[in-house]
Amino acid sequence: MQENLDIVERYLEGNLSEQERTAFEERLLHDEMLRLQVDDMKVIRAGIMLASRNATLQSLKQLENTLPSIETKVISFWSNTWLQAAAVLLIGIVAYVLWPVNSIEQKLFATHFEVYPNVISPTVRGGEANDSTLRAKAFRAYDQKKYEEAIELFLNISEKDEGILFYLGNCYLANGQVEKALPVFEKVLNEYDIFDEQAEWYLAVCFLKMEERERATQALKKVVARNSAYKEKAQTILDKLN
């Protein structure tokens, strides 16, 4: 149990070697208990961050209580140098704690992520009524950017080939479910020949979304080495990460 917790923590911090990470993610595909431990650890880490914020806010309240009280007589606030400094400090700390700051990984994700175009079953105007299969409905929802609906439809397809899996991964990623998108793209990359080039790119995009810079860097280097259509974009991102 302790061994699992240690490796889960190292996994979330990006401190596993490539071989260790590959083996660990293979275990995640088949070990439900391990997946639950990973999810629990993410919740715990998020709770620690929240507690840290709350502690900072409490410190700000205590600092506010130490400020000299202002009597009924009129005093020019900005004429008091100490009060000016305290106010600037207070505003700066509050802004740092509460203001949402996107990391460079998140900014790069927002800049470069877009869902892959539907090249398998494009929606043809006027043809919707002629094809009511589950597959056609799923791709129709995908084209309409109804990703939650598309996810449900793709999951209900009994025989999922690499195309279904690849577009399912795109739906998860577009819907903000990067943890579910990641193993789907890995499956497409490792078990199929079609869409493997695209899946490798979207794996790198997943790591950007997860703010795992080391894994994103390694994945992007593989994209560049493959000399695929994504090589130029991957190199641009690498240059900005380094």
Side-chain angles (χ1 to χ4, degrees), residues 114-124 131 135-145 147 150 154 163-164 166-168 170-171 195 202:
E114 56 183 359
V115 295
Y116 196 76
N118 175 10
V119 298
I120 291 183
S121 182
T123 301
V124 179
D131 194 347
R135 183 186 183 95
K137 289 180 179 178
F139 279 106
R140 194 175 305 138
Y142 183 87
D143 286 338
Q144 295 171 351
K145 304 185 187 302
Y147 298 117
F154 279 132
I164 297 298
F166 176 69
Y167 284 97
L168 174 61
N170 270 267
C171 287
F195 290 117
Y202 280 99

Side-chain angles (χ1 to χ4, degrees), residues 140-200:
R140 194 175 305 138
Y142 183 87
D143 286 338
Q144 295 171 351
K145 304 185 187 302
K146 298 178 180 178
Y147 298 117
E148 286 191 15
E149 179 182 341
I151 288 171
E152 183 176 352
L153 291 166
F154 279 132
L155 288 174
N156 285 331
I157 296 176
S158 56
E159 296 184 5
K160 299 178 182 63
D161 57 24
E162 61 269 46
I164 297 298
L165 291 172
F166 176 69
Y167 284 97
L168 174 61
N170 270 267
C171 287
Y172 279 137
L173 192 51
N175 205 41
Q177 298 172 273
V178 63
E179 293 84 1
K180 291 185 177 181
L182 187 64
V184 175
F185 287 131
E186 287 180 329
K187 183 177 180 68
V188 174
L189 176 62
N190 296 325
E191 299 182 18
Y192 299 95
D193 295 327
I194 301 176
F195 290 117
D196 57 333
E197 180 178 297
Q198 292 86 347
E200 190 165 57

Side-chain angles (χ1 to χ4, degrees), residues 29-40:
L29 293 175
H30 308 289
D31 190 335
E32 182 177 1
M33 183 62 68
L34 185 59
R35 289 198 300 271
L36 289 174
Q37 289 178 341
V38 171
D39 291 340
D40 288 345

Side-chain angles (χ1 to χ4, degrees), residues 11 15 48 57 73 77 89 105 109 117 120 123 126 144 155 163 175 181 187 211 220 234 242:
Y11 172 72
N15 291 330
I48 292 172
L57 290 174
K73 72 176 183 178
F77 178 83
L89 176 62
E105 291 88 353
F109 171 83
I120 291 183
T123 301
Q144 295 171 351
L155 288 174
N175 205 41
K187 183 177 180 68
E211 300 185 25
L220 289 165
N242 296 328

